[in-house]
Amino acid sequence: MTKLIDFQTDPSKYRHWRVEYDGPIATVYMDVDENGGLFEGYQLKLNSYDLGVDIELSDITQRMRFEHPEVKVVVIKSGKDKVFCAGANIRMLGGASHAHKVNFCKFTNETRNTFEAAEADSGQKWIAAVKGACAGGGYELALACNHIMLTDDSASSVALPEVPLLAVLPGTGGLTRVTDKRKVRRDRADVFCSIEEGIRGKRAQEWRLVDEVIPNSKFDDVVAERAREFAAASAKPDVDKGISLPPLTRRIDDNGVHYDLVEVEIDRAARKATITLSGPATEAPGSIDEVTAQGADFYLLKLARELDDAILHLRLNEREVGLLVFRSQGDPALVQAHEDLLLDNKDHWLANEILAYWKRLLKRIDMTSRSLVALVEHGSCFTGVLAEILFAVDRSYMMEDEFEGDNRPIATITLAASNFGQYPMSNDISRLDTRFLGEPEAVEAAKAKIGEPIEAEEADALGLVTYILDDIDWEDEIRIFMEERASFSPDAMTGMEANLRFAGPETMETRIFGRLTAWQNWIFNRPNATGPDGALQRYGTGVRGDYNMERV
Amino acid sequence: MQDMNVAYDTLIPNNVGLSSDKRVLKALEKWHPGYINWWNDLIPDQFQRSMIYLRTAVSVDPKGWAKFDYVKMPEYRWGVLLAPQVEGRTIPCGEHAGQPAWQDVPGEYRNMMKRLIVIQGDTEPASVEQQRFLAITAPSLYDMRNLFQVNVEEGRHLWAMVYLLHKYFGRDGREEADDLLRRSSGSEEAPRMLGAFNEETPDWLSFFMFTYFTDRDGKMQLESLAQSGFDPLSRTCRFMLTEEAHHMFVGETGVGRTIERTCQVMKENGIDDPYDTDRIRALGVIDLPLIQKKLNLHYTLSLDLFGQEVSTNAANAFNAGIKGRYHEHRIDDDHKLTDATYTVWDFEDGKLVRKDVPALTAINMRLRDDYTRDAAGGVGRWNKIIEKAGIDFELKLPHEAFNRKIGVFADKLFDPEGKLVSGADYDAGQTKWLPTHADGDFIQSLMVQVTEPGQFAGWIAPPKVGIDNKPGDFEYVKLAMA
């Protein structure tokens, strides 16, 4: 799969979805174009999806937040007659490389999390109106909605048939949401996850698999009524008009990806990408209304969109780049002024959306299975939300004292109140709380420094960086670290980093990305699923997978 | 920190552009005072103040590497000297064989390389510590001077390793360099890394045996590091080898002169039987069987320094190209050892067997075999001395199974012929095979300081030629008043 995967799209390009907006209610129709697969070799029958389908869904969720803040309820429906969604396309999975499958699942998980959290983050409640078969990834799509309505037509069902049919797991949060979110009794969940045909009608409701079961004749009316009720009950303030998210200015060439504020430089021989974030070129707007007027050009939104795209690009298109190096250059005071404006206007819809976007983006960084390192160089602007990157990475290095021939302002880190809870990790606590799990007093010590530019020695004493290095050691130490890192097994690195990054409490999200994903990725590597006689390969041939019956 | 304000290029002879190397200068400024303190605390004060006729290397060319003059040891100019860079040198072995030699530490191997350098560096000051009191019983000014020459050169070798740590290993390297001064031979708190370097060198015969056998292990290690794909390490070790040769010379001639004197005194007194030890000892010389016992001890202790016969560490270092074999460049094979085998000793079903193992894992063993061949040379020359005197005695290297604490032979009892023996047989034989406390007392009784120029203690013969071709009565050490 050498084709470049582009995460940028817009409604004019959608092949698989359409959205109808009606005041506070939006209806999202999944209507997958069978012949619109991202790659050759499979047809997206029965509303099954591949990464291309999901990229569009992700775009919809994002635009819903920024372009349609008037929407309070989103109804997701099928555009096809007899099927809601058959889940991820099996032939696509059967033909995809392991790495592609893993990246595909990670991205779909992130998208599900995004619309699931939309209600809590910005008052947009997603509901699923299920008519027709809703299986596997299809039911997982519904599970991520906060209200599931199922028609009682004696045919429509919800199902997680992965285990009996394909010898893999419902890996897009399915298993986890059944027990953690829907709180289905574990023995019933065991039954449900072991049967191909799924569960219909009243029993689906009894078993908590759906919220409502509605007679087929009344289904559309009840769905419409429910949407109106939810919209009326929504605490989300009324907003007249959103902002538009125009295409990013982006150039991709052999050396990397070039945006206005984000520069990605790829060194393939060193298996390294350096991501440089630029600070704002201008003063922060004087008011939140000016932010709205700037729209997608507002510094922190533009930066987030560019960085988000860069991370996704690197994940899918640069798989041998094992090390992501974060740098920043700019005036920290200007960065902070921009963030402060948002923090001071949290109850404004756009400020809220931009902050919530950074929360998602920082989680996306946490979740990126590459070695992450930050370089706090002279002239850098790691403050507030950008300082958060320092606590997301596996290691950070900071310049100490002046460097010969370097007249940039001395390297500092500035903490803001936002570093103490505004951007929780998937474990639902802040990165600093996670970092200092064993030394809560260190969090307090850091808090006492809010607003003060912290130079290397103090940053070291506060535990905010891994190493501080002076002029003499900087270049060599970093070179050696990076060379060493690049020489380790990528698998061992991924495993080690994923284990070290997420200390602290478990949440549904950490269980999805930790337990469910890790097991799924193991199964994806086992012949019972993916071998030549495994279930994925044999799917559709009428012959069941030939399993090695040893329990491991 | 003490302000040294040192003109480093003058104080430290070097060919590495020290005065313009900010990284190393900064590190050395912090390290140097600690080193001087270490030296001053170590060597008894009287000798610190004495003028000693020492060789100083001021450059690596033939004219510069051996400048002789009187100097007080604390003012000795410890230099940082690397053998000249060889144009187009390539990595000599392992998976990167044939690629250009590294001029910087490859990040992938940084820790392995650092460990090798630290272990090597740790032995250098250790031997000075082990030998610190020997000057008090020096059998002549000539020998005293040789001792100090060995000492200052071990000091310089420490400098060489510290330079590499400072130059190429950043903060970690500086910490390791500091620790080289923190550890100390025989210390309970922080002993030297290798066991053999925590034993005091109690007398001059031990010193000669040490420089012959144990410094030869050092030589073999340097030889294999001289084959490193990391060019600065290779160049450093190549130059160190020229100095190490002198240490071996001190050892070989020291033992040789001891043998010569013993044979001479036996002849003068009409003793033909080398085992007539009571009479021989009464004449104030060291009997040949005791010399054999000392040889047995020092040779076997040195064999332990080569580590386990089958070693994955050694395999990794070879495969990484950071440590080669002895004379790697002269060996005619693929230098990768992917399929080659090597024969090693093993112990199976209660007996010693020879066994083929993957050559890559037997790197230590091969180096040890090379060592044994190298060490056998001097033993042959010692036997020539005995033979010339007409005495029926032959010194022999014991079997490598004898008296071992590391490897397949450890924890088992072998005699010097390599025969597995019972505990009772071992106890009975031990006094004939290894020096006893009584032997030690006897040797100690002979250790008297002789400070008259041209004079030698009764147990050792004078050398054939003086250092720097100086005449026999040359005053190699101008002793300060005690």
Side-chain angles (χ1 to χ4, degrees), chain B residues 149-377:
Chain B
Q149 184 71 54
V150 170
N151 288 169
V152 292
E153 281 173 358
E154 299 295 7
R156 202 198 71 74
H157 292 178
L158 170 62
W159 274 79
M161 293 298 126
V162 165
Y163 169 75
L164 292 176
L165 290 171
H166 282 172
K167 170 86 179 167
Y168 296 102
F169 294 89
R171 171 205 299 253
D172 288 357
R174 289 195 294 274
E175 280 175 15
E176 293 289 0
D178 290 345
D179 277 355
L180 287 174
L181 293 179
R182 199 173 70 83
R183 283 186 294 272
S184 158
S185 178
S187 155
E188 288 200 356
E189 199 72 37
R192 290 294 170 189
M193 298 171 88
L194 299 177
F197 290 88
N198 284 305
E199 307 290 334
E200 197 191 334
T201 308
D203 58 66
W204 278 78
L205 184 56
S206 300
F207 171 64
F208 293 140
M209 290 290 181
F210 184 95
T211 44
Y212 185 78
F213 286 110
T214 306
D215 279 348
R216 190 174 306 275
D217 158 72
K219 169 189 158 179
M220 300 308 284
Q221 300 300 336
L222 288 178
E223 287 278 9
S224 54
L225 293 176
Q227 301 292 336
S228 178
F230 178 43
D231 208 37
L233 176 61
S234 164
R235 293 170 56 203
T236 302
C237 292
R238 271 180 271 154
F239 186 69
M240 286 163 75
L241 280 166
T242 59
E243 292 166 322
E244 205 69 27
H246 175 258
H247 305 182
M248 249 132 284
F249 160 86
V250 169
E252 181 174 335
T253 57
V255 175
R257 287 160 54 214
T258 308
I259 293 168
E260 183 186 344
R261 179 66 183 155
T262 301
C263 293
Q264 183 194 358
V265 170
M266 282 170 69
K267 283 286 133 186
E268 284 170 5
N269 291 276
I271 305 171
D272 290 329
D273 179 6
Y275 294 97
D276 197 354
T277 53
D278 287 349
R279 277 182 70 202
I280 296 168
R281 288 188 183 189
L283 294 164
V285 290
I286 302 170
D287 51 287
L288 298 177
L290 177 49
I291 289 174
Q292 176 69 56
K293 287 199 257 182
K294 292 291 284 182
L295 180 159
N296 288 349
L297 176 68
H298 286 270
Y299 172 66
T300 54
L301 284 177
S302 302
L303 289 182
D304 277 346
L305 292 172
F306 288 86
Q308 304 285 342
E309 285 83 356
V310 172
S311 158
T312 45
N313 279 342
N316 291 342
F318 179 86
N319 195 47
I322 64 177
K323 192 175 176 184
R325 290 168 293 177
Y326 183 53
H327 290 162
E328 183 74 42
H329 55 293
R330 294 190 204 157
I331 300 172
D332 183 23
D333 64 12
D334 68 354
H335 303 282
K336 293 180 192 239
L337 301 181
T338 31
D339 302 314
T341 60
Y342 191 80
T343 310
V344 301
W345 283 111
D346 202 354
F347 195 82
E348 272 175 3
D349 302 329
K351 50 182 191 291
L352 287 179
V353 291
R354 299 289 279 170
K355 207 163 118 181
D356 283 345
V357 298
L360 205 50
T361 65
I363 293 288
N364 280 346
M365 189 61 204
R366 180 179 176 123
L367 191 65
R368 205 175 82 194
D369 288 344
D370 287 328
Y371 167 82
T372 296
R373 273 189 288 278
D374 200 55

Side-chain angles (χ1 to χ4, degrees), chain B residues 106-153:
Chain B
E108 189 175 349
Y109 303 128
R110 161 212 180 79
N111 288 323
M112 202 194 303
M113 194 116 67
K114 189 181 70 189
R115 195 170 61 237
L116 287 175
I117 291 172
V118 167
I119 291 173
Q120 182 67 35
D122 196 62
T123 63
E124 312 289 357
S127 62
V128 184
E129 290 160 358
Q130 292 174 291
Q131 297 157 9
R132 56 185 299 194
F133 295 118
L134 282 180
I136 297 166
T137 55
S140 71
L141 292 182
Y142 167 88
D143 289 292
M144 188 189 286
R145 177 264 162 212
N146 282 352
L147 168 71
F148 291 143
Q149 184 71 54
V150 170
N151 288 169
V152 292
E153 281 173 358

Side-chain angles (χ1 to χ4, degrees), chain A residues 400 404 460 467-477 479-481 483-484 487, chain B residues 22-24 26 104-108 110-111 166-174:
Chain A
E400 183 189 17
E404 202 176 296
D460 189 36
Y467 290 116
I468 57 173
L469 297 168
D470 65 13
D471 194 5
I472 287 171
D473 288 331
W474 177 262
E475 207 171 310
D476 221 31
E477 290 278 333
R479 173 187 68 80
I480 284 177
F481 159 69
E483 283 183 12
E484 179 188 65
S487 74
Chain B
K22 271 177 40 187
R23 163 199 293 268
V24 179
K26 179 186 152 194
D104 276 311
V105 177
E108 189 175 349
R110 161 212 180 79
N111 288 323
H166 282 172
K167 170 86 179 167
Y168 296 102
F169 294 89
R171 171 205 299 253
D172 288 357
R174 289 195 294 274

